[in-house]
């Protein structure tokens, strides 16, 4: 059996939905089809939620636009006499959505649980439409309700999938008598019973979870580009699709900002050694990128990516020199913050920590509280966060065996007058990350891409 995931742009036009139907017809294997919400709908749901929480009644207009978008799409895609009760289904979802938004509006507060319910309607509606379309064009199709099957639990304040319970649910509910099964992406349920989601971009992860649970022969991620490129093709005009790369490289790249794969997706397929291929729904005959355990050794560097909205914390003071335990206390203070890069020079005079700008204030408060005594004694300087930075990462397994890669990168950046604020290389040598000012981000990405490819 195989699992195919279609992203938002792939389920938003008549042309691509026809392509989906044709793609499914080409295979004789059992197939699970995981779809995202129609493109931009999750953003619109977030916008409606925010408006309602802010007491802005125009959340109702956003809701009406979402409803119309789905009705128009149904009319474009499916003839009237074949629509059945599909519009009624959409109407019922919108009515439930309005109820939750109304509650948020009256409370003037968007709780985490209300947020999860609100954003989950995108996938519920899109998958209902795709299910109907495929039932008409591809024969008998089954539906697995991921919102009851994918079970999450809270880990460090975030929802993550309880893999063993979820796997059991998938095995119990998947019916192989149906050649095609539609299972919505992104949506899930907490162990405690309330609605949850797998995070923005999470439909890729849903698909990987189904693939791993059912030992799929392949996981196909169908999107709007022809694979994983040497850089984001929207940011670098000359970027080229890569033929193949390893799981480790795909994981590194997705962690460092390449949106084409949602980072948690890699682990379930890596565990089961299931090949993953990234394909283009708009150009179904393009080869795409194959991700397996094997890298393409002819390309030591695979891809560049950038991450914006980064903050840098610099922890300095005489109290750092020769004192053991300081770094331990620093990282303990940062236990609830996702630390992206850490760097300490051997003079031990400062430690730099790179985090998302959204976490900056929380991190500053936590560190200043932990080192209150040392700060008052002037052993350590009060910490501040500098924002306006980006991370530029180069990723490739071959970097460890090829000398001069970083030198080449620094020369290219230097020649273009781009100031480097911090450099970090993990001991795996799978990536080199460079912190630069955000205003230099696009120029830096393009000049490195040109230097290497
Ligand atoms: P989907 O809705 O299908 O999940 P996404 O928008 O999440 O699609 O991911 C596809 C997008 O990822 C592409 O349109 C592209 O702009 C972006 N992207 C970022 N980095 C890369 C890369 N290295 N290769 C290909 N696409 C990339
Ligand atoms: N619809 C969700 C999002 O936009 C999940 C996904 O598309 O993967 O984030
Ligand atoms: Mg995506």
């Amino acid at each position: 059996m195989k699992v195919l995931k279609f992203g938002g742009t792939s389920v938003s036009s008549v042309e691509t939905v026809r392509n989906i139907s044709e793609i499914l017809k080409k295979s004789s294997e059992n197939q699970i089809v995981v779809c995202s919400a129609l493109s931009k709908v999750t953003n619109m749901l977030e916008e409606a939620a925010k408006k309602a929480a802010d007491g802005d009644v125009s959340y109702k207009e956003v809701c009406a636009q979402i409803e119309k978008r789905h009705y128009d799409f149904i009319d474009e895609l499916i003839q009237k006499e074949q629509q059945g009760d599909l519009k009624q289904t959409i109407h019922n979802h919108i009515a439930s959505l309005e109820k939750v938004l109304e509650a948020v509006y009256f409370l003037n507060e968007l709780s985490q649980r209300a947020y999860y319910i609100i954003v989950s309607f995108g996938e519920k509606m899109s998958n209902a439409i795709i299910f109907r379309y495929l039932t008409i064009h591809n024969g008998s199709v089954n539906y697995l309700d991921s919102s009851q099957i994918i079970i999450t639990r809270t880990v460090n304040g975030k929802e993550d999938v309880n893999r063993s319970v979820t796997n059991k649910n998938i095995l119990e509910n998947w019916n192989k008598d149906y050649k095609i099964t539609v299972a919505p992406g992104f949506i899930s349920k907490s162990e405690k019973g309330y609605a949850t989601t797998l995070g923005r971009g999470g439909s890729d992860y849903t698909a990987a979870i189904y693939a791993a649970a059912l030992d799929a022969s392949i996981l196909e991620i169908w999107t709007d580009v022809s694979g994983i490129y040497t850089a984001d093709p929207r940011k670098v005009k000359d970027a080229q699709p890569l033929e193949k790369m390893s799981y480790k490289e795909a994981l590194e790249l997705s962690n460092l900002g390449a949106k084409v794969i949602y980072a948690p997706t890699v682990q379930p397929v890596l565990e089961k050694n299931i090949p993953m291929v990234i394909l283009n729904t708009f150009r179904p005959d393009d080869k795409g990128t194959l991700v397996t355990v094997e890298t393409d050794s002819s390309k030591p560097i695979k891809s560049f990516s950038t991450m914006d909205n980064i903050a840098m914390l610099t922890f300095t003071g005489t109290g750092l020199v020769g004192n053991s335990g300081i770094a331990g206390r620093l990282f303990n203070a940062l236990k609830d913050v996702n630390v992206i890069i850490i760097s300490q020079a051997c003079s031990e005079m400062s430690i730099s920590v790179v985090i998302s700008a959204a976490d900056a204030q929380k991190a500053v408060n936590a560190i200043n509280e932990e080192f209150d005594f040392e700060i008052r004694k002037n052993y350590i300087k009060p910490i501040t966060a500098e924002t306006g930075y980006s991370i530029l990462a180069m990723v490739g397994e071959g970097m460890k065996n090829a000398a001069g890669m970083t030198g080449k990168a620094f020369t290219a950046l230097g020649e273009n007058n781009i100031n480097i604020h911090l450099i970090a290389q993990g001991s795996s040598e799978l990536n080199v990350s460079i912190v630069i000012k955000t205003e230099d981000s696009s120029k830096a990405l393009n000049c490195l891409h040109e230097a290497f490819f």
Side-chain angles (χ1 to χ4, degrees), residues 183-220:
F186 184 55
I187 58 178
S188 49
K189 182 169 88 172
S190 119
E191 287 173 332
K192 296 187 178 135
Y194 55 87
T196 57
T197 73
L198 305 189
R200 293 301 310 268
S203 294
D204 296 344
Y205 189 26
T206 307
I209 286 163
Y210 279 109
L214 295 168
D215 284 311
S217 61
I218 193 162
L219 168 63
E220 296 180 357

Side-chain angles (χ1 to χ4, degrees), residues 13 39 91 98 160 165 204 219 384 414:
S13 81
S39 77
H91 178 78
E98 276 170 347
D160 196 18
V165 178
D204 296 344
L219 168 63
T384 50

